[in-house]
């Protein structure tokens, strides 16, 4: 009898351990792609700068890689000096600030050796053994080669040193205990360098290096587990970035970008717009502006090739975008007595640029029909777009940009117009509340 109880308990414990291991251990970001081989034995050139990058100066190579990794976005405060740190990151556990990574010896990283820098970027261990939080995406940068990390360091050290001490982190217990990150890194930072997949084309492998090691797309576009690791079992199924929804990038045809052509993706990444697909706002606009617009044509095309190869994963709440324009007559479409405030706001502040059909043939990139944000029934990104507007001028020199309405309108007004926009132009009407808009307004 005792023997049988022992077996039953043993089996339950074993199953429990297996479930825990399944939950804790996650596949790597390229697990979907097939067998990886060591970089040393591979004949392609997935790392470093691409063949169509013209400059030969090593500092220019370092700059290119720093831009491809978009170090500047996080390490620069609003109106602050580039790389001097101090940008706040609001998390559910409190606020943290990015450090100064200019070569100032006292307040920046001027006294760091090559080994110190490699350890930080690959392992999340700062100078003197300080354990870094994964808000610094070292679990992606760990795939960078030593040469590329040191080229980035060379470029950073060529910049003017800036004296700046960012505010101290304000994290609640136990998240203010840096040593806990030792366990996080042991589980979720593989601390390995990039391995190409031999039976994929060299352009695909370059795209993988750019997307996984440098551009860290998954940090925003892959959902997270409760322990804040990337859930690569649902790779690219969509995540959150500073309050914005970073939508599904998998090849799912309804909720992902499976119907986007190679050119659609290339145009979006290169200019921040893609005709009938939408415009990049918020953190994606920043990635386009500071990073993706700096890449050579071959590199942007490689990223698109790689992204298109990611298997479909469905995001249940996102319907296929509706591509038929709304009726030109304002009295048709959404019933007149439904959401009168949203309709009035739209008539006064939006219809001049966006029209009542949602299709703008003069400024084609402001077309609302068919875009993901307008077809997202949470209306999160629509409300944020209305609150904050477009944050940068498109490189095409187009002067028509989306203004910010946050300062002049109440949370209730912005909720009303957002719900009007999704009802008129989207596949499914949203029900965003004033309270949700207030929270979005406060998110950094
Ligand atoms: C998504 C935002 C983000 C990006 C992108 C990013 N960093 Fe950071 N980085 C941070 C944050 C936040 C910290 C502070 C983490 C902490 O306090 O534990 C940090 C810490 C660091 C540190 C440690 C500095 C110190 O004083 O301890 C270094 C070095 C660093 N980053 C370099 C880089 C480089 C190089 C890149 C580009 C290859 C980069 N970072 C890109 C957010 C980012
Ligand atoms: C800092 C977070 C962040 C990073 C890093 C990031 N994205 Fe995004 N991305 C977003 C957000 C947020 C949106 C939604 C923007 C909007 O609605 O205007 C988005 C939107 C997109 C879209 C449009 C999707 C759609 O359905 O409309 C594409 C394509 C895209 N990103 C590709 C990429 C690629 C490729 C990379 C890596 C090279 C990348 N992103 C890195 C946050 C990010
Ligand atoms: C001055 C012209 C102008 C006005 C006024 C304007 N917009 Fe826009 N809007 C644009 C442009 C241009 C874009 C494309 C984004 C860009 O330029 O980066 C855009 C983009 C958008 C998007 C994002 C669509 C996507 O790609 O997913 C939404 C949503 C939106 N506008 C809603 C509104 C609403 C609601 C109002 C009124 C409260 C409004 N706009 C007023 C010009 C305007």
């Amino acid at each position: 009898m005792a023997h049988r109880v022992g077996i039953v308990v043993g089996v339950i414990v074993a199953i429990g351990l297996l479930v825990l291991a399944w939950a804790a251990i996650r596949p790597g970001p390229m697990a979907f792609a097939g067998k990886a081989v060591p970089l040393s034995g591979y004949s392609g050139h997935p790392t470093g700068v691409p063949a169509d990058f013209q400059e030969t100066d090593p500092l220019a190579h370092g700059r290119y890689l720093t831009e491809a990794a978009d170090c500047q976005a996080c390490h620069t405060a609003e109106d602050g000096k580039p790389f001097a740190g101090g940008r706040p990151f609001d998390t559910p556990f409190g606020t943290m600030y990015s450090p100064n990574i200019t070569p100032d010896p006292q307040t920046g990283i001027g006294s760091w050796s090559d080994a110190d820098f490699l350890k930080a970027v690959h392992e999340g261990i700062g100078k003197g053994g300080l354990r870094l939080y994964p808000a610094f995406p070292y679990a992606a940068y760990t795939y960078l080669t030593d040469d590329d990390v040191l080229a980035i360091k060379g470029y950073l050290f060529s910049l003017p040193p800036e004296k700046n001490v960012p505010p101290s982190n304000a994290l609640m217990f136990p998240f203010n205990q840096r040593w806990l990150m030792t366990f996080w890194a042991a589980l979720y930072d593989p601390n390995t360098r990039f391995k190409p997949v031999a039976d994929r084309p060299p352009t695909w492998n370059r795209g993988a290096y750019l997307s996984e090691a440098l551009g860290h797309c998954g940090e925003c576009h892959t959902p997270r587990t409760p322990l804040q690791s990337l859930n690569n079992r649902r790779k690219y199924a969509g995540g959150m970035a500073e309050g914005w929804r970073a939508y599904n990038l998998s090849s799912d045809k309804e909720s992902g970008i499976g119907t986007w052509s190679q050119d659609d993706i290339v145009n979006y990444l290169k200019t921040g717009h893609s005709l009938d697909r939408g415009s990049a706002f918020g953190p994606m606009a920043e990635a386009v502006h500071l990073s993706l617009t700096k890449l050579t044509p071959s590199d942007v095309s490689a990223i698109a090739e790689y992204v298109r190869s990611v298997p479909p994963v469905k995001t249940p709440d996102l319907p296929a975008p509706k591509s038929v324009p709304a009726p030109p007559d304002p009295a048709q479409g959404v019933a007149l007595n439904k959401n009168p405030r949203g309709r009035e706001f739209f008539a006064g502040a939006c219809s001049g640029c966006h029209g009542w059909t949602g299709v703008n043939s003069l400024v084609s990139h402001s077309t609302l029909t068919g875009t993901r944000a307008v077809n997202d029934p949470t209306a999160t990104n629509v409300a944020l777009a209305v609150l904050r507007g477009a944050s940068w001028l498109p490189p095409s020199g187009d002067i028509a940009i989306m203004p910010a309405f946050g300062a002049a309108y109440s949370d209730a007004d912005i909720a009303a117009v957002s719900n009007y926009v999704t009802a008129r132009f989207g596949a499914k009407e949203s029900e965003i509340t004033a309270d949700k808009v207030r929270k979005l307004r406060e998110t950094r």
Side-chain angles (χ1 to χ4, degrees), residues 169-251:
N169 291 347
L171 296 172
M172 55 183 146
F173 184 83
F175 304 101
N176 56 2
Q177 303 296 304
R178 284 187 176 273
W179 59 271
L180 284 174
M181 296 306 126
T182 315
F183 300 111
W184 192 91
L187 279 172
Y188 301 120
D189 176 23
N191 190 18
T192 52
R193 308 297 88 84
F194 180 77
K195 289 199 186 72
V197 177
D199 56 12
R200 301 269 186 165
T203 44
W204 182 95
N205 278 297
R206 175 65 182 167
Y209 188 69
L210 284 157
S211 308
E212 301 300 350
L214 285 160
H216 58 275
C217 320
E219 289 285 322
C220 296
H221 286 282
T222 296
R224 288 181 190 270
T225 67
L227 289 177
Q228 298 301 303
S229 70
L230 298 185
N231 180 4
N232 283 315
R233 292 199 182 97
R234 290 181 50 75
K235 184 182 174 67
Y236 284 178
M240 298 300 297
E242 294 152 41
W244 297 76
R245 281 187 84 170
Y247 292 116
N248 186 326
L249 290 190
S250 80
S251 51

Side-chain angles (χ1 to χ4, degrees), residues 49-50 53 60-68 206 294-296 299:
V49 297
F53 184 69
H61 288 196
R63 186 196 69 224
Y64 187 86
L65 294 164
T66 308
E67 286 166 350
R206 175 65 182 167
K294 311 287 173 75
L295 301 184
T296 66
D299 270 0

